[in-house]
Amino acid sequence: GNSVTQMEGPVTLSEEAFLTINCTYTATGYPSLFWYVQYPGEGLQLLLKATKADDKGSNKGFEATYRKETTSFHLEKGSVQVSDSAVYFCALTSYSSASKIIFGSGTRLSIRP
Amino acid sequence: GAVVSQHPSWVICKSGTSVKIECRSLDFQATTMFWYRQFPKQSLMLMATSNEGSKATYEQGVEKDKFLINHASLTLSTLTVTSAHPEDSSFYICSAPPSGGERGTDTQYFGPGTRLTVL
């Protein structure tokens, strides 16, 4: 079945550091890939998405590229801020799964001033 | 952007009682809504798919008689935790893809969650 594996956390970085959170997936067909973010005390928000191979999703300085050859969708940001501290979830959905979202385990990110 | 609300945002109840949680899409219609539970510092686990006008479909291992789901209208789904016990304490989250969206690719919108504590 479909699954998502993402980097174990927690991740702690200093402000302005470069961020990478790895995410790989297993899926039949052509899934859509997402990164969701959950800030402390809040619900999930869509951060970015990509719906086909080689698409790049981007938002708020974050980027992720849909790599079909490596079945990956790694999240990157060139210079993190304290306000980026949150839990990040990689996820996929597909036509064959009737739009059910499969989430990764989540990566907790903490940014030090 | 699209908004999904949940009510209540938190609830504390005694063991053996039932608790109803509402999920509403405020500015779009949703023929399908999803219910998740999230344990502390863990990921979201899909519990069931709520379908407007028909029965909900439950994921393997989820007791349908314990977690009653009713999709009363195109903007409202309710989850009732019946005869709640302390092990049911969790964070319950709903999501909804807008009706008419492209299946399998469209963005889903999440409610802010309901924290249930069973004493």
Side-chain angles (χ1 to χ4, degrees):
Chain A
N2 297 345
S3 67
V4 176
T5 302
Q6 68 179 98
M7 186 169 140
E8 293 277 337
V11 173
T12 303
L13 297 173
S14 297
E15 203 166 20
E16 299 184 1
F18 183 86
L19 168 71
T20 300
I21 301 177
N22 290 337
C23 172
T24 57
Y25 68 89
T26 302
T28 54
Y30 302 94
S32 291
L33 303 174
F34 304 82
W35 278 99
Y36 284 89
V37 58
Q38 188 175 32
Y39 296 103
E42 299 184 16
L44 264 72
Q45 302 174 25
L46 176 68
L47 180 60
L48 53 84
K49 72 174 185 179
T51 58
K52 61 182 187 296
D54 299 326
D55 266 2
K56 178 186 284 187
S58 61
N59 186 27
K60 299 182 180 181
F62 291 89
E63 292 183 341
T65 301
Y66 188 144
R67 301 284 188 202
K68 190 166 178 63
E69 64 276 15
T70 54
T71 61
S72 65
F73 193 55
H74 304 321
L75 182 68
E76 296 183 336
K77 185 173 185 180
S79 177
V80 292
Q81 306 299 314
V82 172
S83 57
D84 295 325
S85 298
V87 181
Y88 293 82
F89 294 93
C90 185
L92 70 80
T93 186
S94 69
Y95 185 91
S96 62
S97 69
S99 298
K100 294 179 184 179
I101 298 180
I102 308 298
F103 286 93
S105 57
T107 302
R108 183 174 299 276
L109 174 66
S110 297
I111 307 300
R112 293 188 300 252
Chain B
V3 177
V4 174
S5 70
Q6 282 185 239
H7 178 80
S9 55
W10 59 269
V11 57
I12 301 172
C13 69
K14 293 182 179 179
S15 187
T17 61
S18 295
V19 174
K20 180 185 286 188
I21 302 169
E22 294 185 346
C23 176
R24 292 182 185 274
S25 56
L26 297 184
D27 50 2
F28 65 96
Q29 294 183 334
T31 54
T32 300
M33 292 184 176
F34 299 93
W35 286 96
Y36 301 82
R37 65 187 299 181
Q38 183 182 29
F39 290 105
K41 299 186 178 181
Q42 295 189 27
S43 189
L44 283 74
M45 299 300 297
L46 180 65
M47 298 175 65
T49 303
S50 172
N51 304 297
E52 192 269 337
S54 64
K55 290 182 180 180
T57 54
Y58 291 81
E59 296 301 300
Q60 192 172 7
V62 177
E63 298 176 59
K64 63 180 181 181
D65 294 330
K66 180 166 187 63
F67 298 100
L68 301 180
I69 291 173
N70 181 30
H71 201 132
S73 73
L74 287 172
T75 59
L76 173 63
S77 174
T78 59
L79 168 68
T80 301
V81 183
T82 63
S83 186
H85 288 92
E87 59 265 29
D88 298 323
S89 298
S90 190
F91 196 51
Y92 293 87
I93 301 171
C94 69
S95 74
S99 295
E102 188 173 348
R103 168 174 157 164
T105 64
D106 211 4
T107 301
Q108 294 193 25
Y109 299 97
F110 285 80
T114 297
R115 184 163 302 284
L116 170 64
T117 302
V118 185
L119 302 177

